[in-house]
Amino acid sequence: MSLEPLFTEAQIQNKVEEMAARIQADYGDEPILLVGVLKGSLYFIADLSRRLGPNTRVDFVQVSSYAGRKESSGVVQIRKDLDINIEDVNVIIVEDIVDTGLTLTHLRELLSTRRPKTLRVASLLSKPDARLHQTQIEYVGFEIPNAFVVGYGLDYAEAFRNLPFVAILSEDA
Ligand code: IMP
Ligand code: MG
């Protein structure tokens, strides 16, 4: 297996700052709740939340659809639900990457039944060519080609999450 760098640590940090500025411009002093999707959003939500104002709360959900493989099983399960009641709350779902869109479609549906005040999505990465389920992403960091990437929270079988940069993982023949 080999790693081909895609975004450097500095490029990622600049992008996160840019995304925080856009969110700040949209919400002003309104309180917001960032909902991180575990575990991939770990570093993104940590960096993004620290660039937002004091009226920012953080909570997490964990869903599963991949289970140690590179392909989705097509089934989304909630493994850890929110701690915070989101009724009448400005919610931003924070994702590492949107691939087929399956996870986000289900999550948006589930959270919207709880009647948040607003519901948006911020994803650091998006693979538009891989989309099977159309879903809205209000804040996108980088659009990337349909390759398997790791680092900055993204894993392959739980490895590589802690890389400070994002790289394409390819299996050498
Ligand atoms: P989707 O449901 O197909 O959109 O996939 C969403 C989830 O799959 C993401 O939150 C990631 O956890 C995982 N995933 C999708 N593409 C990649 C990738 O290239 N590298 C690592 N994880 C990925
Ligand atoms: Mg994820």
Side-chain angles (χ1 to χ4, degrees), residues 37 40 95-96:
V37 184
E95 264 284 25
D96 49 357

Side-chain angles (χ1 to χ4, degrees), residues 37-41 63 65-66 69-76 94-106 123 125 127 130-133 135 144-151 153-157 159 161 166-169:
V37 184
L38 291 171
K39 297 175 219 173
S41 68
V63 297
S65 65
Y66 274 59
R69 295 191 312 277
K70 282 170 84 173
E71 303 298 329
S72 172
S73 61
V75 179
V76 175
V94 178
E95 264 284 25
D96 49 357
I97 191 165
V98 180
D99 184 20
T100 65
L102 180 76
T103 308
L104 201 53
T105 300
H106 280 257
S123 185
L125 305 175
K127 296 185 206 173
R131 210 73 87 239
L132 297 174
H133 308 264
T135 183
I144 64 167
N146 197 0
F148 196 83
V149 293
V150 295
L154 291 144
D155 74 305
Y156 173 58
R161 282 194 207 279
V166 170
I168 295 175
L169 179 71

Side-chain angles (χ1 to χ4, degrees), residues 130-142:
R131 210 73 87 239
L132 297 174
H133 308 264
Q134 292 312 319
T135 183
Q136 208 178 334
I137 314 171
E138 285 80 2
Y139 307 98
V140 183
F142 302 101

